[in-house]
Amino acid sequence: MGLHYGFHINRFLTETTGSILGMVGARQTIAIQKQYLKDSKHKIPLLFMTDVIHGYRTIFPSPLGLACSWSPELIEQTAAVAAKEASVSGVHLTFSPMADLVRDCRWGRVVESTGEDPYLNSLYASAFVRGYQGDDVSAPYKIASCVKHFAGYGAAESGKDYNTTDISEYQLRNFYFPAFKAAIDSGCKMVMPGFNALNGIPCTANPWLIQDILREEWKFTDPVITDCTATYELTAHGLCASNKEAAQAAINTGMDIEMVSTTFFEEGENLAAEGKVSMQTIDAAVERILRLKDELGLFENPYKDADPVAEEKIHLCKEHRALARESAAKSVVLLKNEHHVLPLHKNEKIALIGPYADNKNLLDIWKCQGKEEECVTLLEGLRDRIQVFYAEGCALEENPAISYEEVHTVDRDTSCDAACLNSYDAAVSDCDKIILALGEPASWSGEAGSRAHITLPKKQLELLKRLSASGKPVITVIFSGRPLELSEAAAASTALLQAWLPGTEGGNGIADVLTGTSLPEGRLTISFPRTVGQLPLYYNALPTGRPKKSDSITERFSSGYIDELNSPLYPFGYGLTYTTFQYSGIRLSDKVIKEGGTIEAAITLTNTGTFPGTETVQLYLRDLAGAYSRPVKMLKGFQKVFLSPGESRTVDFTISAEMLQYDIPGHGMTLEPGDFQLFIGVDSTTANLAEFTLVKTRES
Ligand code: GLC
């Protein structure tokens, strides 16, 4: 079955194509479906599929930003809105959730991921699926989902997109697989393998991955679709010598739908005639696709929810904009707030400066039907609420399409600086505080958007340092799809916020946080490096045989650098609020947990500041000894707790023996008796720990 960018139905399409990629719009999809069913012999409805990644017309923050809300409920809501807007535009299935675990922010597609943790990625993948599909994909405003890119695509060596991945089965099973398994356990209707060669064999033609794991072990019975032209790429990978061999390898591995490339159509009949692909294999693929179309109700109603009137009414409605605004506020991570320079006060005069101050480029490359012109800029979000003076100055806007050489030329070109810097001087001298909106263009992340230098453009950094030298507090807001190197920016800023690519209501959501209308509650789901040289960098790493005793560069002959600290600039789970919280020590209901049993762990949390705030209390576990070396910490739970100033509350977690299991290659999920550490704290660096022992009650 082919999936094509079909715009005009003709004989070729009616005989070769069963689904359409990227064609959306109620009128268009209705017209194409009608023509197709009229012309085709088999009268099997087309499946309309597209990339609804974080919104359809109302665009939410990029997934890496949404993930920082630590709210699967919010993600489920945004997915449900996305499904509603997409379904009335004739979409039947989205190529989402993207469940790739990422530890290297050079990789451009980190923007589409939810970060470096398998537990959190699993919660989010399930939430996306539930939001898109509900309990029944044939229900109104629901669409089917396709989890991608199975598997390990985010581990592309050197952060280069499409590059080789070499991942042990231990790492795959305990880090890269869980979010895919969670999506499938939540009922996800399709799987898309990654472009990457995994341990020498491209995922598109990797029988171990698709047959042994996906079909046999996980019992996944729905369709598998190749990524765009991935079948052609089997030749480039050097796995196949021709498109015919590529079609044979992909079909026999278990690819049911070929996306865009046409080898199945061109070679399928001959392969079957030559017995290189069995009719049983083809029948099984066709059956899976027909079943999906049936589950969507397309045989009863090939147009499902496509409705031009509903489109008009539902797209960008105020409820959807309100959710986008809430999402943007909850995605912002407050990284620094010296002297409580935030939140802003009404009577303060603010100079708003920088290339993202009044910039509508707040959408990443997977913006679906979102339109920049419909975005709310930071200036528009602030204008009616505080005395903000926008210093127009030279925008320092880099042309995202320019080449590497030009980027550095632009950076070196300081000619315009003098003029535009002087134009800021007036604004700066007359203001109480400066908000400086900086970042990287959306096109510098996303697919094929890998960067070797993850820095802010030099001219932006120069502007920041110049404004910092004015002596006025500088509140720097970073708009970027990926974590950037922010050490210098942090040092020169009084306050620093990571705003990601915040979507249609980005300006309002960020303004809500800056003015205190919304209280910052974002927490990082990916480590921010001090330097790109630390990558890949992640909190849940193995201890090594020579762990450092402290975070220093002087301790030789332990695992680290002689010229940089091991620690990230900002760790997984990190984020500030406008208040402060105090954690008590951990209280355990028992020091021993029995197989199949539970123990309770509790702390007392107190808001010791002057603002209300939401703390994301995080629970980490560490297995001190096992058949495999185990990570120094693994996130196993969290609770978001809102407290007023001075309020205290007990926060407790139930620790189950099941949480202590891990997947041992060849043995499956395994529970190993022994000593464990349990951490409850503010982020992945917490030292607030207690110890307990797991005992097995019966010989397995
Ligand atoms: C792209 C991406 C994939 C997307 C597909 C269809 O190349 O890798 O994530 O779903 O093509 O647009």
Side-chain angles (χ1 to χ4, degrees):
M1 308 286 281
L3 168 64
H4 295 280
Y5 293 103
F7 293 98
H8 304 292
I9 291 301
N10 54 34
R11 189 190 64 75
F12 170 79
L13 279 175
T14 50
E15 289 173 15
T16 67
T17 300
S19 41
I20 300 278
L21 162 62
M23 167 48 68
V24 295
R27 286 190 177 78
Q28 293 88 325
T29 53
I30 289 169
I32 286 176
Q33 187 75 286
K34 199 167 279 179
Q35 185 65 44
Y36 179 87
L37 290 171
K38 178 170 166 291
D39 295 353
S40 75
K41 287 185 301 212
H42 51 62
K43 310 299 178 198
I44 298 169
L46 282 168
L47 194 57
F48 286 92
M49 310 198 255
T50 195
D51 296 277
V52 184
I53 308 297
H54 51 100
Y56 177 80
R57 176 76 181 278
T58 306
I59 305 301
F60 300 100
S62 328
L64 192 55
L66 278 174
C68 291
S69 66
W70 287 57
S71 174
E73 302 74 22
L74 178 69
I75 283 188
E76 184 173 342
Q77 287 169 27
T78 64
V81 164
K84 185 171 184 179
E85 292 194 351
S87 66
V88 296
S89 287
V91 176
H92 301 146
L93 179 141
T94 177
F95 299 124
S96 170
M98 188 273 209
D100 298 303
L101 181 132
V102 187
R103 296 166 165 169
D104 187 333
C105 50
R106 290 173 294 182
W107 191 54
R109 302 195 76 164
V110 63
V111 63
E112 305 169 45
S113 79
T114 50
E116 69 193 45
D117 182 75
Y119 169 81
L120 214 44
N121 289 351
S122 301
L123 292 180
Y124 290 145
S126 300
F128 273 116
V129 171
R130 286 195 306 273
Y132 293 133
Q133 300 191 170
D135 299 328
D136 171 4
V137 289
S138 69
Y141 304 141
K142 291 302 172 190
I143 58 177
S145 62
C146 170
V147 65
K148 67 188 185 183
H149 307 81
F150 189 56
Y153 180 36
E157 283 182 1
S158 321
K160 285 188 292 194
D161 208 350
Y162 317 115
N163 202 11
T164 304
T165 61
D166 217 80
I167 311 172
S168 71
E169 188 177 345
Y170 173 59
Q171 283 282 328
L172 282 168
R173 287 183 173 280
N174 291 286
F175 290 93
Y176 293 91
F177 282 174
F180 288 92
K181 182 72 169 51
I184 288 165
D185 291 348
S186 298
C188 185
K189 294 295 177 194
M190 192 178 280
V191 170
M192 181 193 299
F195 288 119
N196 53 302
L198 176 62
N199 301 332
I201 302 178
C203 298
T204 307
N206 190 315
W208 175 77
L209 189 67
I210 305 300
Q211 294 168 9
D212 298 0
I213 300 295
L214 188 61
R215 296 289 188 208
E216 296 300 313
E217 188 173 323
W218 294 357
K219 308 294 180 223
F220 182 69
T221 56
D222 289 310
V224 175
I225 186 171
T226 73
D227 201 339
C228 193
T229 73
T231 322
Y232 285 151
E233 295 172 18
L234 296 178
T235 313
H237 274 291
L239 191 86
C240 303
S242 67
N243 281 346
K244 183 172 182 180
E245 277 188 27
Q248 179 180 348
I251 294 169
N252 285 333
T253 298
M255 299 303 112
D256 299 320
I257 302 176
E258 179 179 25
M259 186 192 293
V260 175
S261 43
T262 53
T263 67
F264 288 17
F265 166 67
E266 285 150 3
E267 308 295 349
E269 236 169 296
N270 296 336
L271 288 168
E274 294 160 24
K276 292 178 177 167
V277 168
S278 72
M279 282 317 294
Q280 188 192 353
T281 300
I282 294 171
D283 288 346
V286 171
E287 193 266 335
R288 286 188 282 264
I289 297 164
L290 293 180
R291 188 157 24 84
L292 173 58
K293 293 185 177 185
D294 187 39
E295 283 179 38
L296 280 160
L298 297 182
F299 290 103
E300 287 74 29
N301 173 11
Y303 311 104
K304 199 168 184 299
D305 304 319
D307 176 347
V309 173
E311 241 177 356
E312 240 353 84
K313 197 160 134 278
I314 288 173
H315 285 185
L316 274 179
C317 65
K318 69 178 187 329
E319 293 78 10
H320 293 179
R321 275 193 175 267
L323 184 62
R325 176 171 182 160
E326 177 194 353
S327 308
K330 290 188 171 171
S331 300
V332 168
V333 183
L334 180 59
L335 301 173
K336 182 179 180 183
N337 188 20
E338 233 161 31
H339 318 309
H340 299 289
V341 70
L342 288 174
L344 302 173
H345 302 286
K346 270 197 175 313
N347 57 354
E348 290 175 320
K349 283 198 279 186
I350 305 299
L352 175 60
I353 294 171
Y356 288 86
D358 193 28
N359 189 329
K360 290 188 177 284
N361 290 314
L362 305 180
L363 309 178
D364 69 37
I365 64 166
W366 289 122
K367 61 188 176 186
C368 202
Q369 298 302 302
K371 296 173 177 28
E372 275 79 7
E373 60 268 27
E374 292 163 350
C375 289
V376 176
T377 70
L378 183 52
L379 173 61
E380 290 164 347
L382 285 168
R383 184 177 274 139
D384 303 335
R385 297 197 278 189
I386 54 168
Q387 305 174 65
V388 58
F389 172 79
Y390 171 45
E392 197 88 24
C394 68
L396 298 178
E397 188 60 68
E398 281 73 29
N399 166 359
I402 56 181
S403 71
Y404 167 85
E405 247 331 288
E406 288 171 304
V407 164
H408 284 261
T409 314
V410 162
D411 271 347
R412 277 197 296 274
D413 164 21
T414 56
S415 56
C416 83
D417 285 1
C420 71
L421 286 176
N422 294 336
S423 76
Y424 295 144
D425 287 349
V428 168
S429 63
D430 188 31
C431 75
D432 298 309
K433 296 173 183 175
I434 300 163
I435 295 178
L436 180 59
L438 304 175
E440 67 170 6
S443 61
W444 289 14
S445 60
E447 183 170 351
S450 296
R451 292 180 68 194
H453 306 277
I454 53 173
T455 53
L456 280 167
K458 272 201 210 87
K459 290 170 68 177
Q460 292 186 23
L461 218 40
E462 282 164 15
L463 174 60
L464 168 53
K465 289 176 182 171
R466 160 96 179 218
L467 294 173
S468 177
S470 71
K472 297 288 175 71
V474 180
I475 298 154
T476 304
V477 183
I478 302 290
F479 293 79
S480 67
R482 62 157 52 82
L484 296 173
E485 280 181 15
L486 294 179
S487 299
E488 286 188 84
S493 303
T494 317
L496 181 65
L497 296 91
Q498 175 66 28
W500 306 109
L501 292 169
T504 309
E505 282 288 323
N508 275 330
I510 297 162
D512 287 343
V513 171
L514 291 170
T515 58
T517 307
S518 294
L519 296 167
E521 58 182 82
R523 295 289 186 283
L524 296 178
T525 63
I526 193 160
S527 306
F528 273 54
R530 297 175 188 278
T531 168
V532 70
Q534 290 178 293
L535 297 176
L537 177 65
Y538 50 104
Y539 86 92
N540 40 14
L542 302 188
T544 79
R546 295 198 176 191
K548 278 195 172 297
K549 295 182 186 61
S550 66
D551 194 22
S552 79
I553 57 174
T554 51
E555 186 188 323
R556 294 293 291 250
F557 305 108
S558 57
S559 179
Y561 308 100
I562 59 170
D563 60 355
E564 186 52 90
L565 297 173
N566 274 352
S567 60
L569 180 66
Y570 300 112
F572 175 88
Y574 175 85
L576 301 177
T577 63
Y578 286 150
T579 188
T580 50
F581 290 94
Q582 190 176 49
Y583 286 70
S584 73
I586 299 170
R587 302 181 295 276
L588 291 183
S589 61
D590 201 325
K591 299 282 276 178
V592 174
I593 182 170
K594 294 188 176 62
E595 186 181 7
T598 62
I599 58 174
E600 301 300 316
I603 55 106
T604 302
L605 183 72
T606 303
N607 180 339
T608 50
T610 56
F611 273 88
T614 297
E615 178 71 340
T616 302
V617 179
Q618 297 160 41
L619 166 72
Y620 295 90
L621 290 178
R622 178 179 184 177
D623 181 351
L624 290 171
Y628 280 73
S629 176
R630 302 290 294 134
V632 294
K633 277 193 181 88
M634 288 288 277
L635 181 72
K636 290 294 181 183
F638 63 91
Q639 291 181 43
K640 298 188 74 164
V641 182
F642 177 84
L643 294 179
S644 302
E647 186 182 2
S648 288
R649 188 173 310 161
T650 297
V651 182
D652 51 68
F653 294 91
T654 298
I655 313 300
S656 67
E658 190 199 355
M659 289 159 99
L660 312 180
Q661 297 183 103
Y662 67 105
D663 196 338
I664 294 185
H667 295 275
M669 292 307 281
T670 305
L671 199 53
E672 293 181 316
D675 296 335
F676 289 78
Q677 288 177 334
L678 175 148
F679 302 82
I680 298 179
V682 65
D683 62 37
S684 58
T685 64
T686 180
N688 193 25
L689 76 88
E691 298 193 334
F692 65 93
T693 302
L694 166 71
V695 295
K696 287 198 96 168
T697 45
R698 58 176 181 276
E699 279 317 305
S700 52

